[in-house]
Amino acid sequence: MSFLGIDLGTGSLKLAIIDDEGREQCAASVAYTIDTPQPGWAEIDPEVWWRALREAASRLPQVQRSAVRAIGFSGQMHGVVLSDAQGNAVRPAMLWPDTRALPLLDAWSAPQPNPVAPGMAGPLLRWITLHEPQSMQAARWALQPKDWLRFKLGGEIATDPSDACATALADPAGVWDRALLERLALPLERFAPLAASYAASGSLSGDAARALGLRAGIMLATGAGDTPCAALGSGLANDGDALLTTGTGGQILVLATQEPNEAQGLHRYRAATDHWYRMAAMQNIGVALEAVRGWLSYEWSDAYCDAFASDPASGVTFLPYLTGERTPWLNPSARGGWLGLALGTSRGAMMRAAFEGVAFSLRAGLDAIRQSGAQVSALRLAGGGSVDARWRQLLADALDVELHAVDCPNSAARGAAMLGAIACGHWHASDLAALAPAATRVAGPQNNTALAARYARFIDLYGRVEGWFAPPSA
């Protein structure tokens, strides 16, 4: 008996099959690109996800696929898919890096239970209502990405609290805010009813089963957002357990048994199980490093070598805010760049500054979590962007934490598969702590006072240039 996890990410779709003891048996992934038809837009045809799923499934051994008894879902958070009653998208899916709804955020008057970003479903749907009313009229459902994919596979129309509470249209527990929806002219009937992440939400259709090489009738769990799925797959099970994920963006989350208090710049969301978590969400991690690597014409291996061979005291600072920023600044207009460049500045020094700038942006998010009252001295580490030993040491020094690498290369997909196993009754929530993967200490802080001084300079420079980011007044 085994269980399949589908992780529908921003830049790739990943599959992982785990056995009845939670061990990964095989995995596959397929990458795709986001469409940017206009500056600030981020879209994708949902059929690209469907094709990626079929291709990834074909890469899994048939003997492993034949043993799957349940499927769980993990999905990129915040975006939205408008579909008709049959699951056909009426327009391209809009994704979390999209900033076109930035002028519409004043519709969310303070105070809000969570920070509101332009790439969340609420602002994006508000934009569609104003600029593409025909799309809203043609749509039966406004779905989160993973919920659309589950529907495509034969599942029920449903969403879970971890995804719903991140739309800016629900309370922190995920319950739709009827008064807000009415004020924004968004019909409640467009939104999926809530179900637990580990609840059964339909079964695999015959057509989908044939396309994926699976058995028809397999139970489908509701699933959860990718961050809570990564927390589950990485072994977070107890109050205070903390995780750092580094991918396109970065998240630092701390699990809590009770709803965390509201804190400026932080999110408090429901987890995939019955826990809560507080989270710092930083948008510019892998996306910033990848942009810099491209600008400097580096292969990744050379980028690491040149950056960490460069003198860290070059005087160059990099602000990584290429797509605005959430925690802690809540500034979607923020922008990035190097400060302190000289004629003799090398490519390596610029790349080094980029690594440090990204690490400092993570530290600013962690500082917000610490200021909220959480004690964080160690982080489990997940995400494909955190495997180089030199980068890990820089992160440990910048964040002033021990880092423990999780022995689970596909934590979000594993967490999704675990939800499938719970949905079909193989495990219960009380079993999760015992299923935590091994974690190895890979780095610890070395009291790097020079790096601490550069972090203070980073924070000072952001404050000095923040006024440049605002658009000129009319």
Side-chain angles (χ1 to χ4, degrees), residues 319-336:
L319 298 177
Y321 304 122
L322 307 183
T323 66
E325 192 51 286
R326 288 163 66 180
T327 309
W329 312 121
L330 297 180
N331 184 0
S333 298
R335 290 297 178 262

Side-chain angles (χ1 to χ4, degrees), residues 259-461:
E259 180 180 356
N261 294 327
E262 183 177 353
Q264 176 72 18
L266 296 179
H267 301 267
R268 50 192 175 119
Y269 290 154
R270 290 307 300 264
T273 55
D274 296 326
H275 284 80
W276 295 77
Y277 64 95
R278 74 186 83 196
M279 180 179 72
M282 286 64 63
Q283 293 185 187
N284 300 274
I285 306 304
V287 68
L289 291 175
E290 177 61 29
V292 171
R293 183 197 67 80
W295 293 335
L296 299 179
S297 299
Y298 269 124
E299 296 295 328
W300 267 116
S301 58
D302 294 332
Y304 281 112
C305 288
D306 282 8
F308 290 100
S310 296
D311 180 4
S314 66
V316 179
T317 298
F318 179 71
L319 298 177
Y321 304 122
L322 307 183
T323 66
E325 192 51 286
R326 288 163 66 180
T327 309
W329 312 121
L330 297 180
N331 184 0
S333 298
R335 290 297 178 262
W338 285 276
L339 295 166
L341 294 175
L343 286 176
T345 301
S346 67
R347 279 198 310 160
M350 295 173 72
M351 194 74 224
R352 169 75 187 214
F355 278 113
E356 288 196 358
V358 167
F360 292 158
S361 74
L362 290 167
R363 172 60 185 267
L366 181 56
D367 282 350
I369 287 180
R370 285 170 168 154
Q371 290 163 11
S372 76
Q375 303 297 317
V376 181
S377 60
L379 288 166
R380 287 195 164 222
L381 184 62
S386 54
V387 295
D388 185 89
R390 296 160 294 186
W391 175 223
R392 287 173 169 177
Q393 186 58 55
L394 175 57
L395 287 172
D397 288 333
L399 299 175
D400 192 26
V401 294
E402 289 189 353
L403 295 178
H404 298 261
V406 177
D407 185 15
C408 178
N410 301 291
S411 57
R414 179 178 187 263
M418 293 171 69
L419 293 174
I422 297 172
C424 72
H426 179 69
W427 290 318
H428 299 282
S430 58
D431 300 323
L432 296 179
L435 295 169
T440 304
R441 185 184 185 276
V442 293
Q446 297 178 340
N447 192 29
N448 189 328
T449 56
L451 185 69
R454 293 198 294 277
Y455 173 59
R457 181 172 185 263
F458 173 91
I459 295 297
D460 177 65
L461 285 172

Side-chain angles (χ1 to χ4, degrees), residues 54-79:
R54 288 184 295 171
E55 182 177 345
S58 72
R59 298 178 184 178
L60 298 176
Q62 184 57 54
V63 66
Q64 300 288 353
R65 281 183 276 169
S66 64
V68 170
R69 293 294 176 267
I71 301 174
F73 297 83
S74 162
Q76 55 182 294
M77 299 171 73
H78 305 310

